[in-house]
Amino acid sequence: MAKVAFIGLGVMGYPMAGHLVNNGHEVTVYNRTEAKAKAWSEEFSAQYCLTPKAAAQGKDIVFVCVGNDDDLRQVTLTEDGALAGMSAGAILVDHTTASADVAREIGAAARDLTIDFIDAPVSGGQAGAENGVLTVMAGGHADVFAQAKPVIDSYARCAELLGEIGAGQLTKMVNQICIAGVVQGLAEGLHFARSAGLDGEKVVEVISKGAAQSWQMENRYQTMWQGEYNFGFAIDWMRKDLGIALEEARRNGSHLPLTALVDQFYSEVQAMGGNRWDTSSLLAKLEKHRN
């Protein structure tokens, strides 16, 4: 069993760190809001620290799951950051959905300290984190990934190495691009069904047995049909992710017209007050125009 630290106890990190404890690992945590770190430590009978540096000291693997590039730099590269507390030969694993550039930046800083680094964003949402069935997309060296994977498996049903440092983040961008298109298609389909006077739930029961089936259809069509969106993966987060993907596309020459359009649609839902609504709330925008 490994000695590990987990930095960032948001809706994803809190249960992920818990799975590490439940799988027998020795876990120390850090969270920017101390009250949440204290609550987690009481729930799982484990230690928390007041800085990322303190949490990382003496650990085999340090996991990070925070909000964005700047948050990631703050908890890893600063004087009180994780790298300042880690020993040579330890592994830093970043589960934040961030840019490939920041992954390479932190990878280079870690390399200078003889510390290994893996960028490993996840997919599966809060439910996936709570149930320990996340998908992990990793970038880094194969031997380092092989060392970290048995520990990552504590909360993942699929963890794969996609290439060098940065490849994990690039793969997560592909993931978000695909989700954006699928959710928009599902929203338009349900909007059409309602306008045509069909029973949306019966329609989906039928078409989900054919080529139209998707995770979004299976898991979101009922709440979409009922106009319920106060849960799940927030639009604010999705727009952050799509912004990263669109910026990367401008650099590598990709053409993402649908992604850019759906990002604009999400901005319209934000203007409706839906910043924290689930990404499936694209239907709310269509229904507003129908009404």
Side-chain angles (χ1 to χ4, degrees):
M1 296 297 102
K3 292 182 178 181
V4 306
F6 204 103
I7 296 169
L9 300 175
V11 295
M12 302 294 286
Y14 195 106
M16 291 164 73
H19 285 300
L20 290 168
V21 173
N22 293 336
N23 279 269
H25 301 292
E26 181 182 319
V27 184
T28 302
V29 300
Y30 164 81
N31 191 69
R32 181 167 52 186
T33 304
E34 184 184 351
K36 183 171 282 189
K38 184 177 181 181
W40 183 94
S41 70
E42 291 172 352
E43 180 177 348
F44 292 99
S45 301
Q47 182 182 7
Y48 76 93
C49 291
L50 298 180
T51 66
K53 177 181 177 180
Q57 288 174 340
K59 302 303 188 296
D60 305 311
I61 306 176
V62 177
F63 296 96
V64 180
C65 189
V66 291
N68 55 41
D69 287 21
D70 290 339
D71 293 337
L72 183 55
R73 291 186 179 98
Q74 181 66 35
V75 299
T76 58
L77 300 178
T78 59
E79 188 175 289
D80 286 324
L83 287 175
M86 295 175 70
S87 303
I91 302 172
L92 178 63
V93 178
D94 175 39
H95 289 309
T96 308
T97 296
S99 69
D101 282 349
V102 78
R104 298 183 188 110
E105 178 185 342
I106 293 172
R111 184 173 61 248
D112 290 343
L113 298 169
T114 324
I115 293 168
D116 292 307
F117 176 72
I118 299 170
D119 65 297
V122 302
S123 181
Q126 183 176 351
E130 291 172 349
N131 295 318
V133 292
L134 292 170
T135 296
V136 180
M137 299 152 267
H141 296 298
D143 57 339
V144 178
F145 179 72
Q147 293 177 59
K149 186 177 183 299
V151 185
I152 292 172
D153 285 343
S154 298
Y155 44 76
R157 67 177 172 185
C158 175
E160 295 291 339
L161 184 68
L162 282 306
E164 295 298 318
I165 290 172
Q169 296 296 349
L170 293 170
T171 302
K172 180 61 182 286
M173 294 174 208
V174 175
N175 186 78
Q176 302 305 76
I177 289 166
C178 292
I179 288 173
V182 169
V183 175
Q184 178 63 19
L186 178 58
E188 292 186 14
L190 291 177
H191 175 61
F192 178 91
R194 179 165 280 149
S195 299
L198 296 172
D199 183 327
E201 296 198 16
K202 287 186 177 180
V203 167
V204 172
E205 285 176 11
V206 173
I207 67 173
S208 65
K209 304 299 187 296
Q213 189 276 339
S214 69
W215 185 96
Q216 298 291 336
M217 180 177 289
E218 292 286 345
N219 290 275
R220 292 290 183 263
Y221 84 90
Q222 288 183 324
T223 49
M224 291 173 73
W225 192 250
Q226 294 160 9
E228 298 173 358
Y229 304 114
N230 290 311
F231 65 93
F233 190 69
I235 285 178
D236 282 351
W237 301 339
M238 185 60 157
R239 290 210 70 205
K240 183 265 290 186
D241 293 356
L242 294 181
I244 292 170
L246 290 166
E247 177 63 27
E248 187 69 34
R250 283 189 281 271
R251 280 190 250 173
N252 68 24
S254 304
H255 299 285
L256 306 180
L258 179 58
T259 304
L261 185 60
V262 175
D263 180 58
Q264 180 178 331
F265 291 161
Y266 277 130
S267 74
E268 294 178 32
V269 180
Q270 286 177 319
M272 294 167 56
N275 299 66
R276 307 299 294 180
W277 289 354
D278 183 70
T279 51
S280 59
S281 58
L282 284 171
L283 179 58
K285 183 186 78 69
L286 297 172
E287 295 289 85
K288 178 183 177 182
H289 290 309
R290 185 176 74 89
N291 295 332

